[in-house]
Amino acid sequence: QNKKNHTEEPISAVLGQRFKRVSKISSEKSILSLPKSIEFGWRPRKVVRMCITGGPCAGKTTSLARLSFRLPEVGYKVFTVPEAATLLRSGGAMINMENFDINQRIQFQLRLVKLQLSLEDIYTTLAERCGKKAIVVCDRGVMDGSAYIDQDLWQAILDEMGLTQVHLRDCRYDAVVHLVTAAQGAEEHFSDASNVARYEDVEAAREIDRKLQRAWTGHPRMCIIDNERVKSFDDKINKVIDYVFRLLNLPSAYQHSYKFLVKSEKDKDKFLPVIPKHIRHVRVHVEEAFLNPEPPLIERVQKRGAINSNTYLYIKEQILEDGKRKTESNIISSREYVRYLTKKDESRNTVTRELQCFVWGDDYMILDTFCNVRKGVTLLRIDTNKTTKELDFPKFIEIVRDVKDDPGYSTHNLAKKNWYISEEDKGVLEE
């Protein structure tokens, strides 16, 4: 055969040719045509939709099975969305893209994203109409696809489908649980026997795991569960269950949420902590406004995003009789967000926050800076299964103290127009 036929064309040339062929002005029917009932934008959240992701041989399949068993015991019907790649492979489709040329990778990934989105929307619709408390648990999420292809191709796919990175990552899923591959910290248990769609070796599995963590960095509720600090595989799975229980406001024992007041070198213009250049991080801009109070409810709306791509949330907190808080949030449209702002509590400022999200060791951390509060008050937020003694803090920040139970550092109080730093903290922060 002529070798010329097997020579890969430049990516830019392929994108131009292939995307022109499937564009909306093409006489051919676009391969991306979707049923009108499927929407990619905001959705009124009637059920929780989350995804379980992670590297190969991490425990995703077992976690899904265990959740399907445990959650019905507490009154939840579980809808488990299958992984699109595994579904195709089990039906005879080849997904090892190392053997694909550029054209095949583009076309396969387009179809894979379309299938994953369709499956998730169908399962979510069924869950919303089942008449019971329900949760949709996805075996991987759409953002996982970005870990397996070149970033230019991924961005081109998003552009062709009219999607944005921020909406897919932050808006589509209420929570993300990342299970670290057994190839990192539990190598003796690494195997490719449990999933027909798996073809990675140990080093490749570790690299995929790192790419998946980077793909989801920036999500407001991401939890990483590693292998080093669990007693057994069952213990790892129990931590997944515990996190989901907390997500649903059910009693839990393993998962911890930390909030620390921190001190660090700051950017002179925006009062943000300076993160070393070698640490990959994602910045997310947040504007949060509290609504007129209706005790015992605390209501607020939030605009969250980056580079002119935003998602909007309505968040309701209820203070229970025992002092604990029950939190619910719904994704809303931009129009609803503007309407809610007409009910803004004028005794509080609209809080401007800059989130710097990054992975440190095996923990997902968020530096949360309140930019319009006393020239920048920064909190470090961590959701993890580790105790305080087990935490490894970044070297470029200094922990002042734990403020999780200090009401003065709740966003509700930080929004007050007359908020002030305590003399104790002021002395430390202004040294």
Side-chain angles (χ1 to χ4, degrees), residues 272-391:
L272 299 180
V274 176
I275 298 179
K277 292 182 179 179
H278 68 276
I279 298 175
R280 188 183 184 279
H281 62 281
V282 173
R283 278 181 53 181
V284 180
H285 178 77
V286 175
E287 293 179 16
E288 198 160 9
F290 286 87
L291 308 183
N292 290 321
E294 296 183 11
L297 295 179
I298 298 175
E299 299 174 284
R300 63 185 187 270
V301 288
Q302 186 182 100
K303 178 171 74 172
R304 173 191 176 93
I307 316 177
N308 298 321
S309 179
N310 297 300
T311 59
Y312 302 88
L313 294 175
Y314 165 77
I315 303 167
K316 178 175 68 176
E317 283 185 279
Q318 181 178 1
I319 303 175
L320 305 178
E321 293 181 358
D322 59 3
K324 295 182 178 179
R325 298 187 178 218
K326 179 181 178 181
T327 303
E328 298 178 3
S329 60
N330 292 320
I331 296 170
I332 59 176
S333 67
S334 57
R335 181 176 297 180
E336 287 179 300
Y337 173 77
V338 172
R339 180 170 59 82
Y340 273 119
L341 288 180
T342 63
K343 303 177 182 180
K344 180 181 177 297
D345 181 357
E346 296 301 331
S347 68
R348 288 176 163 79
N349 293 315
T350 297
V351 178
T352 301
R353 300 159 58 189
E354 289 289 337
L355 310 184
Q356 295 165 286
C357 312
F358 60 97
V359 176
W360 182 263
D362 290 314
D363 286 314
Y364 180 60
M365 301 186 177
I366 299 176
L367 282 170
D368 186 357
T369 301
F370 292 75
C371 300
N372 60 342
V373 178
R374 298 290 178 177
K375 295 185 178 180
V377 172
T378 299
L379 305 176
L380 175 65
R381 301 180 186 271
I382 310 172
D383 274 343
T384 180
N385 51 57
K386 299 175 185 176
T387 63
T388 307
K389 293 181 179 179
E390 294 174 326
L391 287 173

Side-chain angles (χ1 to χ4, degrees), residues 40-43 45 47-51 117 120 141-144 146 154 158 163-176 212-223 243 247 280-287 302-315 329-332 353-358 364 366:
F40 294 127
W42 68 279
R43 61 184 178 89
R45 199 193 75 175
V47 299
V48 170
R49 180 164 68 195
M50 61 168 293
C51 79
L117 290 169
E120 291 176 1
V142 179
M143 285 298 299
D144 281 32
S146 65
W154 176 252
L158 296 184
L163 304 174
T164 69
Q165 187 102 338
V166 171
H167 278 77
L168 277 186
R169 185 191 66 208
D170 298 354
C171 183
R172 191 165 181 83
Y173 308 94
D174 300 298
V176 177
L212 288 168
Q213 289 186 29
R214 290 197 293 267
W216 291 103
T217 296
H219 191 282
R221 301 196 70 168
M222 175 182 170
C223 172
Y243 180 80
L247 179 67
R280 188 183 184 279
H281 62 281
V282 173
R283 278 181 53 181
V284 180
H285 178 77
V286 175
E287 293 179 16
Q302 186 182 100
K303 178 171 74 172
R304 173 191 176 93
I307 316 177
N308 298 321
S309 179
N310 297 300
T311 59
Y312 302 88
L313 294 175
Y314 165 77
I315 303 167
S329 60
N330 292 320
I331 296 170
I332 59 176
R353 300 159 58 189
E354 289 289 337
L355 310 184
Q356 295 165 286
C357 312
F358 60 97
Y364 180 60
I366 299 176

Side-chain angles (χ1 to χ4, degrees), residues 178-190:
H178 179 99
L179 300 179
V180 175
T181 175
Q184 184 68 47
E187 291 81 358
E188 66 275 15
H189 299 295
F190 182 76

Side-chain angles (χ1 to χ4, degrees), residues 11 15 102 105-106 149-157:
I11 291 178
L15 291 178
I102 293 175
R105 287 201 296 270
I106 293 172
I149 63 172
D150 180 272
Q151 289 305 298
D152 289 337
L153 294 183
W154 176 252
Q155 186 58 52
I157 290 169

